[in-house]
Amino acid sequence: MKKFFLLFLFIILSFNFCFGDLEIKGKKIPGSALFISKEGREEEEAKFEFNHKIYNLIFNKNIFQTLVPLPLELKPGKYTLSLIYQDKKTNYLILIAKAPYMTQYLSLPKTQTAKYDYPGVEKEYRLIDKAFAEFSIERFWEGNFIFPCKRNITTSFGLRRFINGEEAGFHRGIDLAADYGEPVYASNSGIVSLKEENFTLHGKTLIINHGQGVSSIYLHLSKIKVKLGQMVKKGEIIAYAGATGVATGPHLHFGMYVQGIAVNPNIFLKLPDGFK
Ligand SMILES: [Zn+2]
């Protein structure tokens, strides 16, 4: 019993958690991701279940790995992360701390807010979700990710937004300062899984699939340089910044997603060992 209590404390207080052949890295806050490694053999199957979603472990070189995103909507508290391995289910307690994000109050002219109610908006989200759902076993990313514009962050990740006094959800990416027409670089290598020139809300949009459930998204572009299905290299110019869609001026909205769930892009700039 005492041993269990100590283990319980260890899970809560530790940034990285080790249990036998299982290693869990990453901050336990909404908008973060757990980077999980587990020893095993390639012919075996293993998966995790978290918050009603399944995350299959993928065999990378000599170890099973997966990323489990922690949605921005998670309330602080206790959650169960279940490992399903060799017909056995093992539960781990994950304590999610309070989100450290601020609230932002914006006022936008009616010409901009009207775009939220535009009849094609649902289709925009559907196409974006479809691209995020593309899953490849292969890992295309190489090393840490980079910011796609070499400029300052103007709006950070995770802000809870009120637009003209009405709650408008979370800011699910990072806004980077950019002049109109400034180059946008691929944050890492991958395959272009969405190229849209005519989105009313998101503006000209690109999504890159980096493999193993990880995607990056680039919004409000003025011009797109790459083709759908094209393999791009980290640091390659893929587009030019703009102010298409709902934008108060030229900037780049950059988002990172794990199996369709937004996570803080900053995490990907310094990946844990074994995930680079
Ligand atoms: Zn943004």
Side-chain angles (χ1 to χ4, degrees), residues 155-156 161 171-176 219-220 246 251-254:
T155 309
S156 56
R161 277 182 155 171
H171 188 232
R172 292 176 196 272
I174 278 174
D175 288 346
L176 294 164
L219 305 182
H220 312 303
V246 177
H251 74 282
L252 178 73
H253 175 103
F254 167 54

Side-chain angles (χ1 to χ4, degrees), residues 192-213:
V192 177
S193 57
L194 180 133
K195 175 192 180 172
E196 264 306 330
E197 307 267 4
N198 300 310
F199 278 172
T200 303
L201 178 65
H202 298 88
K204 289 188 200 292
T205 301
L206 256 185
I207 297 178
I208 299 176
N209 171 8
H210 303 287
Q212 301 191 350

Side-chain angles (χ1 to χ4, degrees), residues 49-84:
E49 192 183 330
F50 182 77
N51 202 33
H52 317 294
K53 279 191 84 166
I54 294 288
Y55 299 93
N56 289 314
L57 281 142
I58 300 162
F59 201 74
N60 284 321
K61 288 178 192 148
N62 52 9
I63 199 152
F64 279 126
Q65 291 186 317
T66 195
L67 271 76
V68 174
L70 305 176
L72 275 165
E73 290 79 5
L74 283 186
K75 301 268 180 281
K78 291 177 195 164
Y79 289 83
T80 306
L81 175 72
S82 305
L83 168 66
I84 300 150

Side-chain angles (χ1 to χ4, degrees), residues 83-133:
L83 168 66
I84 300 150
Y85 180 60
Q86 292 176 338
D87 296 327
K88 250 177 48 196
K89 194 170 179 177
T90 314
N91 291 334
Y92 298 90
L93 178 72
I94 301 285
L95 197 87
I96 304 292
K98 195 173 176 290
Y101 315 115
M102 315 272 273
T103 304
Q104 186 188 39
Y105 298 90
L106 283 173
S107 29
L108 284 178
K110 273 224 174 85
T111 49
Q112 291 282 331
T113 54
K115 293 177 186 175
Y116 282 95
D117 303 320
Y118 156 78
V121 158
E122 264 180 39
K123 194 182 166 199
E124 289 189 21
Y125 280 110
R126 209 165 55 237
L127 291 171
I128 288 171
D129 287 346
K130 200 174 149 220
F132 285 149

